[in-house]
Amino acid sequence: MKNILKLVCLILITIGILPKEVQAASFIDLTDDTLTTEIHYLVEQDIAKGYSNNLFKPNDFITKAQVAVMLTRALGLNTIHVQNPNYQDVTTTHKFYKEIAAVQNKGIFDTAHKFHPDAPLTRGEMAIVLNRAFQLKGSDPYYFTDVSKQTPGYKEILTLAHNHLVRGYENGSFKPNDPVTRAHFSAFLARAMTLSKPNLLRDPAFEYTYAYYSLSDNKRYTLNYQYQQHDGKNDVWTVKNVSTGQTISDELLYGHDRAYGQAISSEANTHYDLYIELPLRIGVVLHEDDPGVSAGERVTVKSTDGTVQAGDVQYTGVVIVEKRSEFSDVVKTYYFVDDIGLVKELHNDIVVFELLNRTMK
């Protein structure tokens, strides 16, 4: 019996000292907080892994073999019955043979004599493999100073820019021949995986009723929103405080194939309280250093497929957007549902708006 107890204790001690999978929140070398949302997402999905002693090594160049592994996990590719791509430098005994074969079988990497599994992936090559992996669509005349029609991956680079997966550098360059770091590839992959183009507008066919908590007087009210008209640019919604009988300022919702915005019509020069470009993907979509009327603000898409409870309804497929400002301590969090619109809004941890119901007119 004593021997059994000793064995149990030994097992428990061993489990306690075994290295555990590193969680994204504990990485001590993630100093660029503009990419943490994407990296956290990949770790949570078991697509990206950290190293021992809480390291992610974000500035290390990612190898083609590592890319093959991450894409295999991200796409859920079958690695059991793969066809040998016959790369001379990737034998069937190679550590990542199955993953490399899987992505080649999928058409993500080309047939060639060699794969060069330990070579870094360039940014241009990254654009090509992500386009092939996720069948991305669309292209704008978005010009990087160092990308021309002669650049390998030219069309794919423009498609990534069209879908807001890449922004390039401050000097207008893309650096297609530079190797991709682990942090940057993780960000690009997570964005491609979460790419979404939802309709964030309210449905004009419905009346919306919200519970509203006023931070100015710390009182709760019930607000009714009814669609009034389209003024040539925005959907105009009249807002009535059902609790007091008072009609308050109209809300303007801007909906376009490439953007969403919301504003209060009483403002002298209408400035959208929230403005985001479409399509959406997780990560920072507006940086506080960006110029324009929104300078000093950071907007981050935290999820394009989240869940939230609003009223008596549990919503899925929720777009969660966080807005921070250098001029305020208030962090605003918005929850949108496709074809329904805003269902909840928090200021810090306080629920300010919550959709109670919507009724057909």
Side-chain angles (χ1 to χ4, degrees):
M1 187 64 173
K2 290 182 179 180
N3 289 335
I4 295 175
L5 289 174
K6 288 181 180 179
L7 179 60
V8 171
C9 291
L10 179 61
I11 292 173
L12 291 174
I13 293 172
T14 303
I15 292 173
I17 63 175
L18 282 177
K20 298 179 180 179
E21 181 177 317
V22 178
Q23 297 299 312
S26 64
F27 292 136
I28 60 176
D29 56 351
L30 287 184
T31 56
D32 185 353
D33 64 346
T34 63
L35 303 179
T36 54
T37 299
E38 295 96 318
I39 293 173
H40 289 186
Y41 174 80
L42 291 188
V43 173
E44 290 166 0
Q45 300 294 318
D46 290 326
I47 294 168
K49 308 286 185 181
Y51 293 89
S52 59
N53 44 9
N54 297 338
L55 296 177
F56 185 76
K57 301 185 180 180
N59 297 320
D60 282 9
F61 297 136
I62 196 164
T63 68
K64 294 178 69 176
Q66 291 170 337
V67 168
V69 172
M70 292 177 70
L71 287 175
T72 297
R73 293 170 181 165
L75 299 172
L77 299 181
N78 186 350
T79 58
I80 298 176
H81 302 293
V82 293
Q83 294 182 356
N84 192 336
N86 295 312
Y87 290 125
Q88 294 176 2
D89 52 357
V90 181
T91 66
T92 56
T93 59
H94 189 281
K95 181 179 180 180
F96 300 122
Y97 162 75
K98 291 183 177 180
E99 290 86 352
I100 292 170
V103 292
Q104 189 278 337
N105 293 173
K106 187 70 175 177
I108 298 172
F109 283 93
D110 294 327
T111 299
H113 293 297
K114 292 186 177 182
F115 183 74
H116 303 291
D118 298 322
L121 190 78
T122 69
R123 288 170 58 86
E125 291 170 334
M126 173 273 299
I128 293 172
V129 299
L130 287 184
N131 271 272
R132 290 176 179 176
F134 295 96
Q135 300 294 300
L136 302 174
K137 306 294 182 183
S139 180
D140 286 334
Y142 188 116
Y143 295 105
F144 294 105
T145 56
D146 56 352
V147 175
S148 69
K149 291 183 179 179
Q150 287 69 47
T151 303
Y154 166 73
K155 291 182 179 179
E156 292 85 353
I157 292 170
L158 295 189
T159 298
L160 260 61
H162 171 84
N163 288 287
H164 307 304
L165 303 186
V166 298
R167 298 182 66 179
Y169 292 88
E170 291 182 0
N171 63 0
S173 66
F174 181 76
K175 302 182 181 180
N177 297 319
D178 281 10
V180 186
T181 64
R182 280 173 51 83
H184 283 163
F185 183 78
S186 296
F188 299 145
L189 174 58
R191 293 169 190 172
M193 291 178 64
T194 58
L195 194 63
S196 176
K197 198 170 186 179
N199 175 20
L200 304 182
L201 293 172
R202 294 193 191 93
D203 188 337
F206 289 82
E207 291 183 11
Y208 286 68
T209 301
Y210 288 89
Y212 169 60
Y213 179 73
S214 172
L215 295 173
S216 61
D217 60 12
N218 297 321
K219 292 183 179 180
R220 300 185 183 278
Y221 300 98
T222 300
L223 303 183
N224 176 263
Y225 285 69
Q226 292 192 41
Y227 176 77
Q228 181 182 357
Q229 63 174 339
H230 187 77
D231 65 5
K233 181 180 180 180
N234 302 287
D235 285 351
V236 181
W237 288 77
T238 58
V239 185
K240 183 176 182 179
N241 188 326
V242 178
S243 303
T244 64
Q246 179 186 11
T247 298
I248 54 183
S249 300
D250 293 341
E251 183 173 62
L252 307 180
L253 299 183
Y254 175 72
H256 185 268
D257 184 56
R258 299 288 290 168
Y260 167 84
Q262 59 186 48
I264 304 300
S265 63
S266 62
E267 297 174 356
N269 295 309
T270 299
H271 165 62
Y272 292 106
D273 177 62
L274 178 67
Y275 186 88
I276 44 182
E277 294 183 339
L278 302 174
L280 296 177
R281 45 69 176 180
I282 64 170
V284 176
V285 294
L286 177 66
H287 194 277
E288 57 265 29
D289 293 336
D290 291 341
V293 296
S294 58
E297 297 178 354
R298 175 180 289 199
V299 177
T300 305
V301 178
K302 307 296 287 187
S303 176
T304 59
D305 191 24
T307 60
V308 70
Q309 178 81 26
D312 296 326
V313 181
Q314 179 79 11
Y315 295 96
T316 58
V318 180
V319 174
I320 305 174
V321 179
E322 178 185 272
K323 178 183 172 184
R324 296 174 179 267
S325 173
E326 292 181 338
F327 314 108
S328 171
D329 294 330
V330 177
V331 178
K332 297 181 179 180
T333 307
Y334 306 85
Y335 299 82
F336 294 92
V337 176
D338 187 27
D339 290 328
I340 294 179
L342 182 71
V343 298
K344 200 168 191 175
E345 180 180 334
L346 274 63
H347 291 188
N348 293 334
D349 295 326
I350 300 173
V351 179
V352 176
F353 286 96
E354 184 171 11
L355 181 63
L356 298 180
N357 59 68
R358 62 185 195 130
T359 57
M360 184 76 72
K361 289 183 178 179

